[in-house]
Amino acid sequence: MPPATARRPAALGLGGGSGIEVALFDQAQIDLLREALGRLGTIAAAAHTPGRGESRHRVLRSRVTARLSVALSLAAPLEERLALSEEAVALVRPGSSASERAALASALAAHCDAIAGPADAERRAAESGEIVALATALDDRPMEMLGRRLRLVALLEMGDMAAVDAEIDAFALVAGRLRQPLYDWYVPLWKGMRALMQGRIDDAGRLGREAADAGARVSSDNARLLTVTLEWFRLTESGRGADAWEYMRGMVGQDVGLLAVWQKVAEALLHAERGARDEARGLLDQVWPHAIQAAPVDSEWLAVMAQLTAAVASIGAHPVAAWAYDQILPHRGRFIVDGIGAVCHGSAERQLGVLAACLGRQREAAGHIEAALDANRRAGAALLVARTLLDGGRALGHTRWLDEAARAYRELGISQMAQAAEVGTTAPPGAEGAPNRFRREGDVWAVTWRGETVRLRHVKGMADLARLLARPGREVAAADLVAGRDGAEVVAAGGDLGELIDDRARAAYQARLAALQAELDEADAAGDPARSARAAAEREALLTQLAAASGLGGRPRPAGGAGERARTAATWRIRDAIGRVEAAHPDLGRHLRRSVRTGTYCSYHPTEPTDWDS
């Protein structure tokens, strides 16, 4: 059979002529496109048709290849789609004819779709700008609107809101000239997204309904899904988590094939927002670690990470937190976009701050939250600034941020979120208040006191505190606290130090402790848990040895009996742990200093009845 250069393959007519809305998982279309490519053969096979015939062959092959790349979205590995789109671009990039430039615009659009992950926003902005220029020169308005849609999303990810608003206006102008109902829902959707960022809740709802009505008139699946997403987050950011659940519950639990990972994460967040934390945790357990780690880093990946972060923060940490932090960190400069501009979650620094707090990295968390506040303020996103203040205040127990969040929400007229900030609770609005908790989660302790949660790195003194809090009013022997796997280390410490510790040795210990603290800070800043664990273990051992060799007021003393060494070690450990708690949660730290007694026997005596879940 000769190469199919004389006619346009029927497969090019499937999925919409402009390619602005292409059906997914359309196996019939995929099969036809693969068949068409097989008939076209290679460029080498058509070498006997020089000049104009070869150009037509390259154009046709480029168009089919580009369309196949798009049709394979979510149905094939990204690597395959990327290779197809790059081939489509290379086939027509040198050309100068009108048909070659039109094919190049289509090929670039397919390439933008294949590199839709967060790492390539600048490249997509440049290539989509080229699409707009090509389409404008060719007076191809549908292709121009596709280019502008692609460019708008890339600019949104880059946080350039002035350019985003200009693209919305330009898209509206071209759509008005074209008068094609297929495009009528995009502008109200994007304006609704921008209204939500700015905290204009009622405007976002009105524009979302306008977009949904326009999409329904042309039976657009994209319009339906994206306007549902906008309304979901409009309800959530208004403090109406229960309403969001009722609105979305008909869509959860569906079998959506390759989208199942994203569906589970979204469903987990919905449960978390209504206070059903066990259900949320169970859903995350279903996708962690294998399914979530295998998810493609595509246009939806960073939005899924934002939903994952929000769910983890609501349920009180999860093993996925450390992995998610490491994955998001390279994209800290991005703004997180859901869909093709349905929702913008603002700077990814906010999610990093929340995850760092979940991991007990308070200093890093505060830095991320400050960076998110700066980025969201520059974007003029008042609602996202308020949300960042709320999330940072909750995660780190910063009352100043919570106070600022409450004021910001009140200025926006969002009273339910203002009340949540005033309470400072980690529970979603409408859920029951969080109980006092002192729980170990791997290498981190999650501590909740009067609705504020902080997370601290594990040290032995935290375990000692947990035992005391679980037995209010009861004495626990210091020897019992340091017994078990740590007991041998404590008893041996006195012999290692010798009968007496001199000033020179003591100074060496203090210098090494300072160096280890600096190493811990550096390891946390670099996200190196192994190095952090080694430094923490050595610091613990040194503190134990120093405590065993110190007497009243920290003065050197001769090594005493095991009971005396246990008393001193337990006292140092507990005081060190209370200091760590106080630095992260001053109110709880003050309570513990008043209520915890140390000595040969240690105990927790709160001034008023206090229940702990530990």
Side-chain angles (χ1 to χ4, degrees), residues 131-148:
I131 294 170
V132 171
L134 287 166
T136 301
L138 295 167
D139 196 26
D140 185 342
R141 289 177 180 170
M143 181 56 68
E144 179 185 351
M145 286 197 289
L146 175 56
R148 292 196 180 280

Side-chain angles (χ1 to χ4, degrees), residues 268 271-283 311 313-316 425-428 431-435 437 448 453 455:
H271 280 297
E273 286 170 344
R274 71 185 184 96
R277 299 183 181 185
D278 290 342
E279 290 89 338
R281 181 179 291 275
L283 286 162
S314 293
I315 65 178
T425 177
T426 56
E432 295 183 1
R437 287 196 176 99
T448 300
T453 298
R455 289 178 173 81

Side-chain angles (χ1 to χ4, degrees), residues 320-560:
V320 73
W323 174 84
Y325 179 88
D326 291 340
Q327 297 302 304
I328 298 173
L329 188 60
H331 311 298
R332 63 192 304 172
R334 290 287 178 250
F335 273 48
I336 300 178
V337 181
D338 218 320
I340 53 176
V343 173
C344 179
H345 300 279
S347 171
E349 293 278 9
R350 170 163 66 99
Q351 282 68 31
L352 288 169
V354 170
L355 291 169
C358 287
L359 298 170
R361 304 173 185 173
Q362 273 68 27
R363 183 179 300 179
E364 290 172 76
H368 288 306
I369 294 297
E370 291 284 7
L373 289 170
D374 289 343
N376 291 333
R377 283 171 179 145
R378 287 196 302 271
L383 182 70
L384 297 177
V385 170
R387 184 67 192 213
T388 303
L389 289 166
L390 178 60
D391 286 355
R394 284 174 166 175
L396 295 171
H398 286 191
T399 55
R400 176 176 61 83
W401 279 347
L402 290 170
D403 290 342
E404 290 181 24
R407 287 195 297 272
Y409 278 120
R410 292 214 176 277
E411 289 174 2
L412 294 171
I414 308 175
S415 59
Q416 286 177 272
M417 295 299 282
Q419 292 167 9
E422 288 166 350
V423 171
T425 177
T426 56
E432 295 183 1
N436 297 324
R437 287 196 176 99
F438 208 98
R439 285 183 176 178
R440 185 174 178 180
E441 298 173 347
D443 291 331
V444 173
W445 286 85
V447 180
T448 300
W449 169 253
R450 295 178 178 173
E452 296 182 8
T453 298
V454 296
R455 289 178 173 81
L456 302 164
R457 184 192 300 113
H458 168 68
V459 293
K460 295 173 185 176
M462 296 294 287
D464 296 338
L465 281 176
R467 288 187 64 182
L468 298 180
L469 296 178
R471 301 167 176 81
R474 294 171 55 188
E475 291 185 333
V476 180
D480 289 341
L481 289 176
V482 298
R485 63 180 183 181
D486 298 330
E489 177 186 325
V490 174
V491 171
D496 290 341
L497 286 167
E499 183 179 355
L500 208 63
I501 182 169
D502 60 22
D503 291 341
R504 182 176 179 181
R506 187 177 184 81
Y509 273 96
Q510 297 289 4
R512 181 55 183 160
L513 285 171
L516 286 170
Q517 186 60 55
E519 186 172 350
L520 278 169
D521 293 341
E522 291 176 6
D524 285 348
D528 188 342
R531 181 184 173 193
S532 178
R534 288 194 300 270
E538 184 180 349
R539 184 178 184 277
E540 285 288 324
L542 284 178
L543 282 173
T544 300
Q545 292 173 1
L546 194 56
S550 301
L552 187 63
R555 293 188 296 273
R557 63 169 175 81

Side-chain angles (χ1 to χ4, degrees), residues 18-22 145-146 149 152-153 168 171-172 175-176 179-193 204 206-230 338-343:
S18 70
I20 198 166
E21 190 159 334
V22 178
M145 286 197 289
L146 175 56
R149 191 196 79 181
L152 181 144
V153 173
I168 294 174
F171 190 99
R179 296 181 181 179
Q180 168 56 258
L182 179 63
Y183 308 106
D184 287 348
W185 60 270
Y186 283 94
V187 171
L189 174 77
W190 292 330
K191 288 187 175 181
M193 171 268 297
R206 174 181 56 79
L207 288 161
R209 290 189 294 274
E210 181 182 332
D213 290 344
R217 288 194 290 270
V218 292
S219 302
S220 169
D221 288 335
N222 273 347
R224 181 180 64 85
L225 292 172
L226 294 172
T227 53
V228 163
T229 300
L230 174 60
D338 218 320
I340 53 176
V343 173

Side-chain angles (χ1 to χ4, degrees), residues 545-612:
Q545 292 173 1
L546 194 56
S550 301
L552 187 63
R555 293 188 296 273
R557 63 169 175 81
E564 174 63 13
R565 291 196 296 273
R567 180 196 69 79
T568 308
T571 298
W572 274 68
R573 281 164 35 166
I574 291 171
R575 288 177 180 174
D576 175 64
I578 291 176
R580 292 168 180 267
V581 171
E582 190 167 28
H585 198 319
D587 186 31
L588 175 57
R590 289 189 293 269
H591 170 77
L592 292 175
R593 288 199 184 279
R594 290 193 303 265
S595 307
V596 173
R597 303 172 186 175
T598 58
T600 304
Y601 290 91
C602 304
S603 59
Y604 170 60
H605 287 273
T607 56
E608 57 187 33
T610 305
D611 293 326
W612 285 92

